[in-house]
Each structure stands twice: as C-alpha cells, then as structure tokens.
Amino acid sequence: QSPSTVMITDIQGNIEYVNPKFTQVSGYDAEEVIGKNPRVLKSGETTAHEYSDLWETVKDGCEWRGEFHNRRKNGELYWESAAISAIRNSDGEIINFLALKEDITEKKRMEAEIESQNRELVHSENMAAMGRMASMIAHDLRNPLSSVKMTLQILGKKSNQDISTETRELCHISLEQIRYMEEILSDMLSYSRPDALKPEWISIDKVINMAISLSQRRQEDQKIKLHIDYHAGLPTLYADATKLRQVFSNLISNALQATRESDNPRVNIEAMVELGLEGTAVRIDICDNGCGISDADLDNIFEPFYTTRAKGTGLGLAIVKRILDQHKATISVSDNVPKGSCITVILPVSPASKITPQSDQGESQA
C-alpha cells in the first residue's frame, strides 16, 4: 500500500479516483467522495486566494506544492503536504489533475512542541538574568535604606523643641517613601528567589477569606460592594496556603483598585468545582466593574517589570503567575460584561506526587 494519499480529479476538480490511503487518512470511503469536489475536506483555514493561486498554477501545467489543514470525516483536523500537477494526453492536453499528499500532522505537532520548548528556554534564560539583576539591586539597596530609615525614625522621635513641625512632616513623608521602596525591594527579592512550597491539605475558602481581610480597609474606605459565593462541595486542595494567600491578596487588591473610578464599585468572588480532562479542580473567578484591561496590556500583564501604574515594579502579577505555575494551576483574564475584568484561577485538586515542594526550578528561573 502506498504511503501517500493519491487523488485524481477531472479538469473541473471533481474526484475520479482515491487510493486506500485516502480512506485511512480522511475517514471517507471512495464511494463517498467520487464525483465530489475535494472541498469536502476543507477546514475553512485555507483562504480563497490560496485556492485560486493553486488552480491557476496547475491549469497552466505547472506543479503546485504546499500544505493543507484539512478536516477528517469525524471532524478532526489534520495537516497534509501536497504536490498537485496536471496529467496530459498524447496531444498534450490537460485531462486530469493528480494530487500526491502525505499526512504530516505528527511532524507539525513535533515542530510546534520544539518551538514551544525553545521559546520557554529563551524565556527562562531571560527571567534568570532579570532575577539575578533584581537580587543584586535589592541586596545593594536594602542596607543603605535601613540606615536612612533608622536616622529618620530617630529624628522623628525628637521633641517639638528640637525640630520644627515642617521638619517632622518631612520626616513622615520620607519614611512613607522608604516603606514604599522596601515593598519594591521585597517584591524584587521574592521574584528573584522564589521560596520552596510547603503544601498541605487546605480549604480554599479559608485562604480567600484571609486574603479578603487584608484588603478590608481599602474596601471600606472606597465603599466597595464585595459579593462572595462559595459553591457547596468545594474539595480540599493540596497546596501552600501562605503562597495562595499571597496570590489572592494581590488579585483582590488589584480588583479593588481597578474600581476606584466607578460610580458603584463592586467586586464579585466566586469559587466552584471545575471538571476537566485532567481531573477535578477548583475555579475561582474574581470580577470587578472597574476600568478593565486593554488588549495591548493583556499579553504582557504577567511579564516581570511590566506595569501600567505610576507606582509599582510590575512584579505583583509575575509573582502570582510563578506561584500558580508551581501549583500546576492556570490563570487567565477576560472582559467582565458590561464593564471591568475577570481573573480566573483554576487550581487542580492535586495529590502530593503532582506538586514538588521546591522552588520553581530554583535559580534557573530566578
């Protein structure tokens, strides 16, 4: 049996012959396609212009070579490389067209996998370099900042007779800025040196409630309505409670901040069971009616040092993504109709064998 699919059509493109390999690859019996146009295999991905170019080439008596992303009888997509040429009679007239095709689906899959691995390798190397830089900067700045902070604290404790009200106010402002810088350094160190996971069986609702309590003051100050819905029957998760509290604290804080310009600010948090191909998981949706996220920002929001805010390092969501990657979890962003954004986190109900209680490849990712 030929390893290639053979198809012969008349000059109008109607199928006159297919070999057994065609049936094996496409799922169609010969009787189902004889007399029909090869468009029965179309997936809709090849453009009309490409088909037009194909026909112009073969009608001129030249050979056309290319690839098709076709659809089998059962609906599955598959890739074929094809060589299509004219068959002439003894007078040199074109009487048929011959297509020799090969199923290259597996080849395409392997190429895509290799390309993905190469991208991940380049990304990991870039992240490692950025992590080393962040660690160096954080270490070099932390000690001088501590000295300045201590000096300002001592100065601020002096009596009103020793320093003026204006000087005291300047000390207070300076200390606030130092605390802000310390938060930046903490984020940089957290990103550059991810801690090992300490997984245990936990209840996700308790973790989220703790994260909510950390943002309670902002919620009350901005008069934000917070709606929480934990579906019945949520399973326990094998995860690091401290790390996940950090994740949800960051995501909830971002959602609250996004609503600051809304007339009726609202944040909804919903947790439910998610049944997928890889097993049971818990899905958490955090939706706000705030300013939303632009399409231009969507592709970059989880990249380190990317931020749309005047203040901040852009490491918050990068740390969130890293922690979720350690938990074999996923995170995605979508629009919240009619306004705002939704963050969806899907955490697998993982046995101990699926979560390695180590940092995410340690310094290789740092």
Short mmCIF file of all heavy atoms in Angstrom, two decimals, residues 160-211:
data_model
loop_
_atom_site.label_atom_id
_atom_site.label_comp_id
_atom_site.label_asym_id
_atom_site.label_seq_id
_atom_site.Cartn_x
_atom_site.Cartn_y
_atom_site.Cartn_z
N ASN A 160 9.32 68.47 70.19
CA ASN A 160 8.93 69.58 69.33
C ASN A 160 9.89 70.77 69.47
O ASN A 160 9.99 71.61 68.57
CB ASN A 160 7.51 70.05 69.67
CG ASN A 160 6.48 68.99 69.29
OD1 ASN A 160 6.72 68.19 68.40
ND2 ASN A 160 5.35 69.01 70.00
N GLN A 161 10.59 70.83 70.60
CA GLN A 161 11.54 71.92 70.79
C GLN A 161 12.78 71.73 69.94
O GLN A 161 13.43 72.70 69.56
CB GLN A 161 11.93 72.03 72.27
CG GLN A 161 10.77 72.40 73.18
CD GLN A 161 11.18 72.41 74.65
OE1 GLN A 161 12.25 71.93 75.00
NE2 GLN A 161 10.31 72.98 75.51
N ASP A 162 13.13 70.45 69.66
CA ASP A 162 14.36 70.18 68.92
C ASP A 162 14.18 70.30 67.40
O ASP A 162 15.13 70.66 66.68
CB ASP A 162 14.87 68.77 69.24
CG ASP A 162 15.28 68.65 70.70
OD1 ASP A 162 15.76 69.66 71.26
OD2 ASP A 162 15.13 67.55 71.27
N ILE A 163 12.98 69.96 66.87
CA ILE A 163 12.76 70.05 65.42
C ILE A 163 11.42 70.76 65.16
O ILE A 163 10.50 70.71 65.98
CB ILE A 163 12.75 68.67 64.74
CG1 ILE A 163 11.62 67.80 65.30
CG2 ILE A 163 14.07 67.98 64.85
CD1 ILE A 163 11.43 66.50 64.52
N SER A 164 11.33 71.39 64.04
CA SER A 164 10.11 72.13 63.70
C SER A 164 9.03 71.19 63.20
O SER A 164 9.28 70.03 62.84
CB SER A 164 10.43 73.17 62.63
OG SER A 164 10.81 72.52 61.42
N THR A 165 7.81 71.70 63.15
CA THR A 165 6.68 70.92 62.63
C THR A 165 6.91 70.56 61.17
O THR A 165 6.59 69.45 60.73
CB THR A 165 5.38 71.73 62.76
OG1 THR A 165 5.17 72.08 64.12
CG2 THR A 165 4.19 70.92 62.25
N GLU A 166 7.48 71.47 60.42
CA GLU A 166 7.76 71.22 58.99
C GLU A 166 8.76 70.08 58.83
O GLU A 166 8.59 69.21 57.98
CB GLU A 166 8.29 72.49 58.35
CG GLU A 166 8.55 72.32 56.84
CD GLU A 166 9.09 73.59 56.22
OE1 GLU A 166 9.25 74.60 56.93
OE2 GLU A 166 9.38 73.57 55.01
N THR A 167 9.81 70.09 59.65
CA THR A 167 10.81 69.02 59.59
C THR A 167 10.20 67.68 59.96
O THR A 167 10.48 66.65 59.33
CB THR A 167 11.98 69.33 60.53
OG1 THR A 167 12.57 70.57 60.16
CG2 THR A 167 13.04 68.23 60.46
N ARG A 168 9.33 67.67 60.97
CA ARG A 168 8.67 66.44 61.39
C ARG A 168 7.79 65.88 60.25
O ARG A 168 7.75 64.69 60.00
CB ARG A 168 7.83 66.68 62.64
CG ARG A 168 7.29 65.40 63.28
CD ARG A 168 6.51 65.73 64.55
NE ARG A 168 7.34 66.41 65.53
CZ ARG A 168 8.20 65.78 66.34
NH1 ARG A 168 8.32 64.47 66.28
NH2 ARG A 168 8.92 66.47 67.21
N GLU A 169 7.10 66.79 59.56
CA GLU A 169 6.25 66.37 58.44
C GLU A 169 7.10 65.80 57.31
O GLU A 169 6.74 64.79 56.68
CB GLU A 169 5.43 67.57 57.94
CG GLU A 169 4.51 67.25 56.76
CD GLU A 169 3.43 66.25 57.12
OE1 GLU A 169 3.09 66.12 58.32
OE2 GLU A 169 2.92 65.59 56.19
N LEU A 170 8.24 66.42 57.06
CA LEU A 170 9.15 65.90 56.02
C LEU A 170 9.70 64.53 56.39
O LEU A 170 9.85 63.65 55.52
CB LEU A 170 10.30 66.89 55.79
CG LEU A 170 9.93 68.21 55.09
CD1 LEU A 170 11.12 69.15 55.07
CD2 LEU A 170 9.44 67.93 53.66
N CYS A 171 9.96 64.33 57.67
CA CYS A 171 10.41 63.00 58.12
C CYS A 171 9.33 61.96 57.88
O CYS A 171 9.62 60.83 57.45
CB CYS A 171 10.76 63.06 59.62
SG CYS A 171 12.30 63.89 59.99
N HIS A 172 8.08 62.34 58.17
CA HIS A 172 6.96 61.40 57.97
C HIS A 172 6.83 61.04 56.49
O HIS A 172 6.67 59.86 56.15
CB HIS A 172 5.67 62.05 58.49
CG HIS A 172 4.46 61.21 58.23
ND1 HIS A 172 4.18 60.06 58.95
CD2 HIS A 172 3.44 61.35 57.32
CE1 HIS A 172 3.06 59.52 58.49
NE2 HIS A 172 2.59 60.29 57.50
N ILE A 173 6.91 62.04 55.62
CA ILE A 173 6.80 61.78 54.17
C ILE A 173 7.96 60.89 53.71
O ILE A 173 7.77 59.95 52.93
CB ILE A 173 6.80 63.11 53.40
CG1 ILE A 173 5.52 63.90 53.72
CG2 ILE A 173 6.91 62.86 51.89
CD1 ILE A 173 5.53 65.31 53.15
N SER A 174 9.15 61.17 54.19
CA SER A 174 10.33 60.39 53.79
C SER A 174 10.20 58.93 54.24
O SER A 174 10.55 58.01 53.49
CB SER A 174 11.59 61.01 54.39
OG SER A 174 11.78 62.32 53.90
N LEU A 175 9.69 58.72 55.46
CA LEU A 175 9.52 57.36 55.96
C LEU A 175 8.49 56.59 55.12
O LEU A 175 8.66 55.40 54.85
CB LEU A 175 9.09 57.39 57.43
CG LEU A 175 10.21 57.66 58.44
CD1 LEU A 175 9.63 57.88 59.83
CD2 LEU A 175 11.19 56.47 58.46
N GLU A 176 7.42 57.29 54.70
CA GLU A 176 6.42 56.64 53.85
C GLU A 176 7.05 56.20 52.53
O GLU A 176 6.77 55.11 52.02
CB GLU A 176 5.26 57.61 53.58
CG GLU A 176 4.33 57.81 54.77
CD GLU A 176 3.62 56.52 55.15
OE1 GLU A 176 3.16 55.79 54.25
OE2 GLU A 176 3.55 56.22 56.36
N GLN A 177 7.90 57.05 51.97
CA GLN A 177 8.56 56.70 50.71
C GLN A 177 9.55 55.55 50.90
O GLN A 177 9.70 54.70 50.02
CB GLN A 177 9.28 57.94 50.14
CG GLN A 177 8.36 59.04 49.68
CD GLN A 177 7.37 58.58 48.63
OE1 GLN A 177 7.76 57.98 47.64
NE2 GLN A 177 6.09 58.83 48.86
N ILE A 178 10.21 55.51 52.03
CA ILE A 178 11.14 54.41 52.30
C ILE A 178 10.38 53.09 52.44
O ILE A 178 10.82 52.05 51.94
CB ILE A 178 11.98 54.71 53.57
CG1 ILE A 178 13.02 55.79 53.25
CG2 ILE A 178 12.67 53.43 54.08
CD1 ILE A 178 13.85 56.22 54.43
N ARG A 179 9.22 53.15 53.11
CA ARG A 179 8.40 51.93 53.22
C ARG A 179 7.97 51.44 51.84
O ARG A 179 7.94 50.24 51.57
CB ARG A 179 7.18 52.19 54.10
CG ARG A 179 7.52 52.42 55.57
CD ARG A 179 6.27 52.45 56.42
NE ARG A 179 6.58 52.85 57.80
CZ ARG A 179 6.44 54.07 58.28
NH1 ARG A 179 5.95 55.02 57.48
NH2 ARG A 179 6.74 54.35 59.53
N TYR A 180 7.63 52.40 50.98
CA TYR A 180 7.25 52.04 49.61
C TYR A 180 8.43 51.39 48.88
O TYR A 180 8.28 50.37 48.19
CB TYR A 180 6.79 53.29 48.86
CG TYR A 180 6.62 53.11 47.38
CD1 TYR A 180 5.68 52.23 46.86
CD2 TYR A 180 7.42 53.82 46.49
CE1 TYR A 180 5.53 52.06 45.50
CE2 TYR A 180 7.29 53.65 45.12
CZ TYR A 180 6.33 52.77 44.63
OH TYR A 180 6.20 52.59 43.29
N MET A 181 9.63 51.93 49.06
CA MET A 181 10.82 51.36 48.44
C MET A 181 11.13 49.98 49.01
O MET A 181 11.56 49.07 48.29
CB MET A 181 12.02 52.30 48.62
CG MET A 181 11.88 53.62 47.87
SD MET A 181 13.26 54.75 48.17
CE MET A 181 14.58 53.90 47.33
N GLU A 182 10.88 49.80 50.32
CA GLU A 182 11.09 48.49 50.93
C GLU A 182 10.14 47.45 50.35
O GLU A 182 10.51 46.29 50.16
CB GLU A 182 10.92 48.59 52.44
CG GLU A 182 12.08 49.27 53.14
CD GLU A 182 11.86 49.41 54.63
OE1 GLU A 182 10.69 49.49 55.07
OE2 GLU A 182 12.85 49.44 55.38
N GLU A 183 8.91 47.88 50.05
CA GLU A 183 7.95 46.96 49.41
C GLU A 183 8.45 46.54 48.03
O GLU A 183 8.32 45.39 47.62
CB GLU A 183 6.58 47.64 49.30
CG GLU A 183 5.87 47.81 50.63
CD GLU A 183 4.55 48.54 50.48
OE1 GLU A 183 4.16 48.82 49.31
OE2 GLU A 183 3.91 48.84 51.51
N ILE A 184 9.01 47.51 47.31
CA ILE A 184 9.57 47.20 45.99
C ILE A 184 10.71 46.20 46.11
O ILE A 184 10.78 45.21 45.38
CB ILE A 184 10.06 48.49 45.29
CG1 ILE A 184 8.88 49.39 44.95
CG2 ILE A 184 10.86 48.16 44.03
CD1 ILE A 184 9.28 50.73 44.35
N LEU A 185 11.60 46.42 47.06
CA LEU A 185 12.74 45.51 47.26
C LEU A 185 12.25 44.12 47.66
O LEU A 185 12.80 43.11 47.22
CB LEU A 185 13.68 46.07 48.33
CG LEU A 185 14.42 47.36 47.97
CD1 LEU A 185 15.31 47.79 49.12
CD2 LEU A 185 15.26 47.16 46.71
N SER A 186 11.21 44.09 48.50
CA SER A 186 10.66 42.81 48.92
C SER A 186 10.11 42.03 47.72
O SER A 186 10.34 40.83 47.59
CB SER A 186 9.55 43.03 49.95
OG SER A 186 8.97 41.81 50.34
N ASP A 187 9.41 42.74 46.81
CA ASP A 187 8.90 42.11 45.60
C ASP A 187 10.04 41.60 44.72
O ASP A 187 9.97 40.51 44.16
CB ASP A 187 8.04 43.09 44.80
CG ASP A 187 6.63 43.23 45.35
OD1 ASP A 187 6.27 42.42 46.22
OD2 ASP A 187 5.91 44.14 44.92
N MET A 188 11.08 42.40 44.61
CA MET A 188 12.20 42.01 43.76
C MET A 188 12.89 40.77 44.30
O MET A 188 13.25 39.85 43.56
CB MET A 188 13.19 43.17 43.64
CG MET A 188 12.63 44.36 42.86
SD MET A 188 13.76 45.77 42.81
CE MET A 188 14.98 45.19 41.64
N LEU A 189 13.08 40.72 45.61
CA LEU A 189 13.70 39.54 46.21
C LEU A 189 12.78 38.33 46.12
O LEU A 189 13.23 37.20 45.87
CB LEU A 189 14.06 39.82 47.67
CG LEU A 189 15.29 40.70 47.89
CD1 LEU A 189 15.42 41.04 49.37
CD2 LEU A 189 16.55 40.01 47.39
N SER A 190 11.50 38.54 46.31
CA SER A 190 10.54 37.44 46.21
C SER A 190 10.53 36.86 44.82
O SER A 190 10.44 35.64 44.64
CB SER A 190 9.14 37.94 46.58
OG SER A 190 8.19 36.92 46.47
N TYR A 191 10.65 37.73 43.81
CA TYR A 191 10.65 37.25 42.43
C TYR A 191 11.97 36.56 42.08
O TYR A 191 11.99 35.52 41.41
CB TYR A 191 10.40 38.39 41.45
CG TYR A 191 10.42 37.93 40.03
CD1 TYR A 191 9.33 37.24 39.50
CD2 TYR A 191 11.54 38.13 39.22
CE1 TYR A 191 9.36 36.77 38.20
CE2 TYR A 191 11.57 37.67 37.94
CZ TYR A 191 10.47 37.00 37.42
OH TYR A 191 10.52 36.52 36.14
N SER A 192 13.08 37.12 42.54
CA SER A 192 14.38 36.60 42.14
C SER A 192 14.74 35.31 42.87
O SER A 192 15.51 34.50 42.38
CB SER A 192 15.48 37.65 42.39
OG SER A 192 15.59 37.92 43.78
N ARG A 193 14.16 35.10 44.07
CA ARG A 193 14.46 33.90 44.84
C ARG A 193 13.18 33.28 45.36
O ARG A 193 12.83 33.42 46.52
CB ARG A 193 15.39 34.23 46.01
CG ARG A 193 16.76 34.72 45.59
CD ARG A 193 17.66 34.88 46.79
NE ARG A 193 17.05 35.73 47.82
CZ ARG A 193 17.63 36.06 48.97
NH1 ARG A 193 18.83 35.59 49.24
NH2 ARG A 193 17.02 36.83 49.84
N PRO A 194 12.43 32.59 44.49
CA PRO A 194 11.16 32.00 44.93
C PRO A 194 11.38 30.96 46.02
O PRO A 194 12.28 30.13 45.93
CB PRO A 194 10.61 31.35 43.66
CG PRO A 194 11.81 31.14 42.78
CD PRO A 194 12.75 32.27 43.09
N ASP A 195 10.56 31.05 47.06
CA ASP A 195 10.68 30.10 48.17
C ASP A 195 10.14 28.73 47.78
O ASP A 195 9.33 28.59 46.86
CB ASP A 195 9.91 30.61 49.39
CG ASP A 195 10.49 31.92 49.91
OD1 ASP A 195 11.71 32.10 49.77
OD2 ASP A 195 9.71 32.73 50.45
N ALA A 196 10.57 27.72 48.52
CA ALA A 196 10.03 26.38 48.32
C ALA A 196 8.58 26.34 48.78
O ALA A 196 8.18 27.02 49.71
CB ALA A 196 10.87 25.37 49.10
N LEU A 197 7.78 25.54 48.10
CA LEU A 197 6.40 25.34 48.51
C LEU A 197 6.34 24.46 49.76
O LEU A 197 7.18 23.58 49.94
CB LEU A 197 5.59 24.66 47.40
CG LEU A 197 5.28 25.47 46.14
CD1 LEU A 197 4.42 24.64 45.20
CD2 LEU A 197 4.58 26.77 46.47
N LYS A 198 5.34 24.73 50.60
CA LYS A 198 5.08 23.90 51.77
C LYS A 198 3.63 23.44 51.70
O LYS A 198 2.75 23.97 52.38
CB LYS A 198 5.34 24.68 53.06
CG LYS A 198 6.80 25.12 53.21
CD LYS A 198 7.02 25.97 54.45
CE LYS A 198 8.47 26.42 54.55
NZ LYS A 198 8.70 27.29 55.72
N PRO A 199 3.36 22.45 50.82
CA PRO A 199 1.97 22.06 50.57
C PRO A 199 1.36 21.26 51.72
O PRO A 199 2.04 20.53 52.44
CB PRO A 199 2.07 21.20 49.30
CG PRO A 199 3.47 20.65 49.33
CD PRO A 199 4.32 21.70 49.99
N GLU A 200 0.07 21.47 51.88
CA GLU A 200 -0.72 20.71 52.84
C GLU A 200 -2.17 20.74 52.34
O GLU A 200 -2.50 21.49 51.43
CB GLU A 200 -0.63 21.34 54.23
CG GLU A 200 -1.08 22.80 54.25
CD GLU A 200 -0.89 23.44 55.61
OE1 GLU A 200 -1.03 22.74 56.61
OE2 GLU A 200 -0.61 24.66 55.65
N TRP A 201 -3.03 19.92 52.93
CA TRP A 201 -4.43 19.91 52.52
C TRP A 201 -5.13 21.12 53.13
O TRP A 201 -5.13 21.29 54.35
CB TRP A 201 -5.11 18.61 52.92
CG TRP A 201 -4.61 17.45 52.12
CD1 TRP A 201 -3.73 16.49 52.50
CD2 TRP A 201 -4.97 17.14 50.77
NE1 TRP A 201 -3.49 15.61 51.48
CE2 TRP A 201 -4.24 15.97 50.40
CE3 TRP A 201 -5.81 17.72 49.82
CZ2 TRP A 201 -4.35 15.40 49.13
CZ3 TRP A 201 -5.92 17.15 48.56
CH2 TRP A 201 -5.20 16.00 48.23
N ILE A 202 -5.69 21.98 52.29
CA ILE A 202 -6.27 23.24 52.75
C ILE A 202 -7.67 23.45 52.17
O ILE A 202 -8.04 22.83 51.18
CB ILE A 202 -5.38 24.44 52.34
CG1 ILE A 202 -5.30 24.54 50.81
CG2 ILE A 202 -4.01 24.33 52.96
CD1 ILE A 202 -4.63 25.81 50.33
N SER A 203 -8.43 24.35 52.81
CA SER A 203 -9.73 24.77 52.30
C SER A 203 -9.56 26.11 51.61
O SER A 203 -9.13 27.08 52.25
CB SER A 203 -10.74 24.90 53.44
OG SER A 203 -10.94 23.64 54.07
N ILE A 204 -9.88 26.17 50.33
CA ILE A 204 -9.62 27.39 49.56
C ILE A 204 -10.45 28.56 50.06
O ILE A 204 -10.00 29.71 50.00
CB ILE A 204 -9.88 27.13 48.05
CG1 ILE A 204 -9.32 28.29 47.22
CG2 ILE A 204 -11.36 26.92 47.79
CD1 ILE A 204 -7.83 28.44 47.30
N ASP A 205 -11.65 28.30 50.59
CA ASP A 205 -12.48 29.41 51.08
C ASP A 205 -11.82 30.12 52.26
O ASP A 205 -11.89 31.36 52.38
CB ASP A 205 -13.88 28.93 51.44
CG ASP A 205 -13.89 27.75 52.39
OD1 ASP A 205 -12.86 27.04 52.46
OD2 ASP A 205 -14.90 27.52 53.06
N LYS A 206 -11.14 29.36 53.12
CA LYS A 206 -10.45 29.98 54.25
C LYS A 206 -9.28 30.84 53.78
O LYS A 206 -9.02 31.91 54.34
CB LYS A 206 -9.97 28.91 55.23
CG LYS A 206 -11.11 28.16 55.93
CD LYS A 206 -10.57 27.13 56.90
CE LYS A 206 -11.71 26.40 57.61
NZ LYS A 206 -11.21 25.36 58.55
N VAL A 207 -8.57 30.36 52.76
CA VAL A 207 -7.44 31.12 52.20
C VAL A 207 -7.94 32.43 51.61
O VAL A 207 -7.36 33.50 51.84
CB VAL A 207 -6.71 30.28 51.13
CG1 VAL A 207 -5.65 31.13 50.42
CG2 VAL A 207 -6.06 29.06 51.75
N ILE A 208 -9.03 32.37 50.85
CA ILE A 208 -9.57 33.58 50.22
C ILE A 208 -10.09 34.55 51.27
O ILE A 208 -9.90 35.76 51.17
CB ILE A 208 -10.67 33.21 49.21
CG1 ILE A 208 -10.07 32.38 48.06
CG2 ILE A 208 -11.34 34.46 48.66
CD1 ILE A 208 -11.09 31.85 47.08
N ASN A 209 -10.76 34.02 52.30
CA ASN A 209 -11.27 34.89 53.37
C ASN A 209 -10.13 35.65 54.06
O ASN A 209 -10.27 36.83 54.39
CB ASN A 209 -12.04 34.06 54.40
CG ASN A 209 -13.40 33.62 53.90
OD1 ASN A 209 -13.94 34.21 52.97
ND2 ASN A 209 -13.95 32.58 54.50
N MET A 210 -9.01 34.96 54.27
CA MET A 210 -7.86 35.63 54.87
C MET A 210 -7.32 36.73 53.95
O MET A 210 -6.98 37.82 54.40
CB MET A 210 -6.76 34.61 55.17
CG MET A 210 -5.51 35.20 55.80
SD MET A 210 -5.81 35.98 57.41
CE MET A 210 -6.09 34.51 58.41
N ALA A 211 -7.28 36.44 52.64
CA ALA A 211 -6.80 37.43 51.68
C ALA A 211 -7.74 38.64 51.65
O ALA A 211 -7.29 39.79 51.55
CB ALA A 211 -6.69 36.81 50.29
#
